[in-house]
Amino acid sequence: MLKEMAARPEYTVKLLDNVWELKEAIIEKRGQAGFVLPADFSRELLAGGSPVIQSYELNVNEATAVMNVHLDGITGRMVSAAAAAKASSGSADSRSVALATSLSRRGSIR
């Protein structure tokens, strides 16, 4: 997720320590919007779930709406790839490798 969002020229991805730091940065207008990946993002994908990414913005506008569309699209591709990896037999480690390979081939990881 982070690699794909960072590869887009319209975004600058900056990792922050916690959600409060993100909210403060947005309130202080050091950024327009941001998102938080759940701690169990990968585990939920591999379990067949669809993790929810929380986004934050001070003002909803076209740019923040497009960011949310991109996040949803990337998540959807990852969910599909995870379902295919889960369908393959093997250990959790081999499913993780299969998922990473599938995402890389589909262009979700750049």
Side-chain angles (χ1 to χ4, degrees):
M1 177 67 68
L2 296 175
K3 286 181 183 181
E4 185 158 339
M5 290 298 282
R8 293 179 172 276
E10 64 267 38
Y11 304 120
T12 299
V13 174
K14 182 176 180 184
L15 299 178
L16 301 176
D17 290 332
N18 57 59
V19 69
W20 304 113
E21 201 175 325
L22 170 63
K23 289 178 180 181
E24 183 178 299
I26 293 170
I27 290 169
E28 293 177 357
K29 299 187 180 182
R30 289 181 278 141
Q32 254 191 319
F35 60 92
V36 176
L37 296 176
D40 61 348
F41 184 83
S42 296
R43 190 173 339 113
E44 188 171 346
L45 276 174
L46 287 170
S50 182
V52 176
I53 298 172
Q54 182 65 51
S55 65
Y56 296 92
E57 59 267 334
L58 195 55
N59 298 309
V60 177
N61 57 40
E62 184 179 351
T64 60
V66 169
M67 178 193 76
N68 285 313
V69 168
H70 287 149
L71 290 170
D72 289 344
I74 296 165
T75 301
R77 288 192 304 277
M78 294 176 101
V79 167
S80 296
K86 187 175 181 184
S88 69
S89 60
S91 67
D93 287 338
S94 66
R95 288 192 305 268
S96 293
V97 170
L99 175 58
T101 301
S102 176
L103 290 173
S104 182
R105 285 185 186 147
R106 291 177 185 214
S108 291
I109 296 177
R110 300 174 197 227

